[in-house]
Amino acid sequence: MIRFSKDHEYIRVDGDIGTVGITDYAQSQLGDVVFVDLPPVGKTLEAGAEAAVVESVKAASEVYAPVAGAVVAVNEALTSNPGAINESAMDEGWFLKLKIADTAALDGLMNQDEYDAYLKSIS
Amino acid sequence: MAQPDPAVPVLHTPLNGEHVAAGARMVPFAGYDMPVQYPTGILTEHNWTRASAGLFDVSHMGQAFLIGPDHATTAAALETLCPADLVALQPGRQRYTQLLGDEGGILDDLMATRPAEPEEDGVLFLVVNAACKEQDFAHIAARLPAGVRLIRAEHRALVALQGPKAAEVLAEHCPDTLDMPFMSGRTTTFDGLACHVSRSGYTGEDGYEISIHSRHAVRLWQRLTADERVKPIGLGARDSLRLEAGLCLYGHDIDTATSPVEAGLVWSMQKRRRVDGGFPGAARIQRELADGPSRIRVGILPDGRQPAREGTVIEADGRPIGVVTSGGFGPTLGGPLAMGYVEAAFAALDTPVTLIVRDKPLAARIAAMPFVPNRYFRKA
């Protein structure tokens, strides 16, 4: 199952673990990513809290936690290869894994069809 | 950066259709709809310019002719507003200078070129920043003596061709541009179309700026982009290129509060002007020249990979000592880089400083500029 936020984060859910990243649309808007600041493992994030920072040549952008949870893993490979976010935003370019506090909160996010419609509405 | 006023219609350069057709991402800039990047992205465009030749539409910049009875009269008129020695400017040569306010702050920075042709004696060709051009030209026009006038060249487009292959590319269209020295200009033709070419730019690379009538701009653009050595480059890479070259961006690294001495632009004030003054704010500037400025523009290299952006506070000895005015990632440098102002006591090369990025300290040191060696063309 995958869900999307209006800020263009995705969360790919497996049980109560969610893998969070930014969508392909988000990476295309950011441009070439040159740096990622990831949170420490163990950090507890509220929904909408700043989870990471991604810097492109142009600008810095925050990545928000789509739902509340505790950080159980971060994608250390991004530190040496932040370009993976541009090349593979939805797979190899993931940022972190969250142990989701309450999976019912996922109902407040968009599914794939709703996100696709949302992208059409803003472009 | 100036935000567009939604009540003001967005302006288009004569090349707008070319950018859109090429798939550029367009953004509002200084009232114009401008390409920030083309589909390949800023990193690729930046690297292409350093390796081959990049073509930039800078038609939004302000072009004008200052026209008087002879060079000495016209140059002396501009010298009352700028601290460069313009009277000594030789035919066919170009100088970088600044328009100064009464307190010695920088109203804008600009290029002034004296045409090479004897029949053009008394003319200076000016190029100013897009966001400042209305106030610049009004400022200049209001302060000219009788007999000298400012004629805007709004019918002209301006494109920059920059990079190590710029000279060989342009020579196929304008053969007499190959041996032009850095900071010179001449009237010539591009495939038979009248234009004015200067050997200068904003990337640290060898290259040219070509001023041409708007109605010929598309033809020039298409002929240059048809060359496989040339790719169009947007404002995003223009910014990373100029930052690596250590060049100031007006409104960020220099503004009405900064003097040319603080900005490290003393090289652009020739000795006669430094000694004799006679420009706005001369008292402040001569005092800063004698005593040293209290703050100075420096290059800054953060440790690690994290960029520090404009507005980042610079600390040393546990207190704020300055601020970053431009910062980002240098693709050729391969890491983050910045410039900013620090108290003079902390301006020495390799001085350790701390940048406060999102409330966290980031170690950095004062560094020499340019960050990437420039490759301007100077005749042996």
Side-chain angles (χ1 to χ4, degrees):
Chain A
M1 180 173 83
I2 188 164
R3 291 289 179 269
F4 299 89
S5 74
K6 289 195 167 177
D7 298 317
H8 307 286
E9 290 95 12
Y10 67 81
I11 181 165
R12 201 184 294 278
V13 183
D14 182 9
D16 64 350
I17 300 296
T19 301
V20 177
I22 64 171
T23 65
D24 195 54
Y25 171 83
Q27 72 76 20
S28 74
Q29 291 295 303
L30 271 177
D32 303 299
V33 175
V34 295
F35 177 80
V36 181
D37 192 14
L38 296 167
V41 171
K43 186 173 186 179
T44 304
L45 298 169
E46 295 302 312
E50 182 182 306
V53 175
V54 56
E55 303 241 11
S56 70
V57 181
K58 263 187 302 189
S61 303
E62 291 79 27
V63 177
Y64 302 105
V67 293
V71 178
V72 294
V74 296
N75 186 359
E76 298 285 359
L78 295 181
T79 307
S80 56
N81 183 26
I85 294 163
N86 297 114
E87 289 150 21
S88 179
M90 302 300 293
D91 293 302
E92 283 163 34
W94 64 277
F95 281 60
L96 52 98
K97 292 182 193 289
L98 276 183
K99 183 168 169 49
I100 300 168
D102 177 7
T103 52
L106 294 165
D107 296 342
L109 299 172
M110 291 177 275
N111 64 26
Q112 184 77 59
D113 289 346
E114 290 165 337
Y115 182 65
D116 291 346
Y118 174 62
L119 284 185
K120 280 204 183 91
S121 75
I122 59 173
S123 62
Chain B
M1 201 172 292
Q3 290 300 308
D5 180 342
V8 178
V10 174
L11 301 168
H12 285 184
T13 76
L15 297 165
N16 189 270
E18 298 300 303
H19 307 316
V20 172
R25 181 177 305 160
M26 306 300 288
V27 297
F29 181 83
Y32 285 80
D33 183 45
M34 296 299 289
V36 66
Q37 64 172 82
Y38 297 85
T40 53
I42 295 173
L43 277 182
T44 304
E45 293 172 26
H46 178 111
N47 292 332
W48 187 268
T49 305
R50 292 263 185 259
S52 188
L55 187 64
F56 304 73
D57 178 14
V58 287
S59 303
H60 56 317
M61 297 186 79
Q63 303 180 67
F65 297 98
L66 198 58
I67 304 172
D70 53 69
H71 176 71
T73 305
T74 307
L78 193 56
E79 281 195 359
T80 65
L81 307 176
C82 299
D85 187 340
L86 297 161
V87 171
L89 188 61
Q90 295 299 303
R93 302 310 297 236
Q94 183 176 45
R95 238 163 218 177
Y96 168 79
T97 187
Q98 307 85 35
L99 273 181
L100 297 179
D102 290 338
E103 305 304 319
I106 301 172
L107 304 179
D108 196 8
D109 59 345
L110 68 148
M111 288 288 204
T113 308
R114 178 178 178 184
E117 299 72 20
E119 63 273 22
E120 299 288 329
D121 186 58
V123 176
L124 285 173
F125 174 52
L126 309 182
V127 179
V128 307
N129 280 298
C132 305
K133 64 184 179 182
E134 299 301 328
Q135 59 263 42
D136 285 356
F137 292 147
H139 175 89
I140 295 169
R143 288 163 179 78
L144 293 175
V148 181
R149 65 213 156 93
L150 184 89
I151 307 286
R152 292 185 62 165
E154 290 173 284
H155 61 292
R156 278 174 174 258
L158 189 67
V159 302
L161 183 67
Q162 301 279 298
K165 296 186 180 172
E168 63 184 60
V169 169
L170 194 63
E172 293 177 11
H173 306 273
C174 318
D176 57 352
T177 54
L178 197 57
D179 64 346
M180 290 172 66
F182 179 57
M183 297 297 277
S184 71
R186 69 173 42 151
T187 300
T188 180
T189 56
F190 179 99
D191 293 346
L193 307 170
C195 63
H196 180 272
V197 174
S198 69
R199 196 154 198 169
S200 55
Y202 196 46
T203 62
E205 296 295 325
D206 182 24
Y208 303 87
E209 293 192 344
I210 307 159
S211 172
I212 194 164
H213 197 289
S214 294
R215 70 170 175 267
H216 300 316
V218 168
R219 194 169 350 167
L220 175 138
W221 185 267
Q222 289 178 344
R223 292 211 178 157
L224 286 173
T225 52
D227 190 310
E228 63 182 14
R229 294 165 290 186
V230 178
K231 286 189 190 303
I233 311 296
L235 294 177
R238 183 168 161 84
D239 193 52
S240 56
L241 288 159
R242 71 90 195 169
L243 184 52
E244 285 186 339
L247 299 170
C248 292
L249 175 59
Y250 190 79
H252 300 257
D253 309 305
I254 48 176
D255 59 29
T256 54
T258 51
S259 77
V261 184
E262 292 174 327
L265 301 174
V266 173
W267 58 268
S268 69
M269 298 186 284
Q270 287 72 25
K271 187 178 177 193
R272 174 175 66 83
R273 305 304 316 278
R274 296 200 301 264
V275 173
D276 294 354
F279 47 82
R284 169 192 178 181
I285 286 168
Q286 289 176 320
R287 189 173 62 243
E288 288 178 348
L289 286 168
D291 303 340
S294 59
R295 58 171 186 162
I296 193 155
R297 184 174 64 95
V298 293
I300 302 155
L301 283 175
D303 291 354
R305 307 287 298 170
Q306 183 165 20
R309 306 285 176 177
E310 180 178 2
T312 298
V313 172
I314 307 168
E315 291 189 353
D317 292 351
R319 65 180 180 86
I321 54 122
V323 65
V324 169
T325 51
S326 284
F329 182 86
T332 306
L333 185 69
L337 75 176
M339 63 171 84
Y341 285 81
V342 296
E343 293 176 15
F346 298 93
L349 285 188
D350 293 322
T351 302
V353 295
T354 302
L355 307 175
I356 307 302
V357 178
R358 281 183 295 276
D359 301 325
K360 284 187 274 190
L362 178 65
R365 62 188 166 82
I366 305 301
M369 292 188 285
F371 297 97
V372 170
N374 60 44
R375 296 196 280 186
Y376 303 134
F377 181 78
R378 291 186 166 96
K379 271 199 264 197

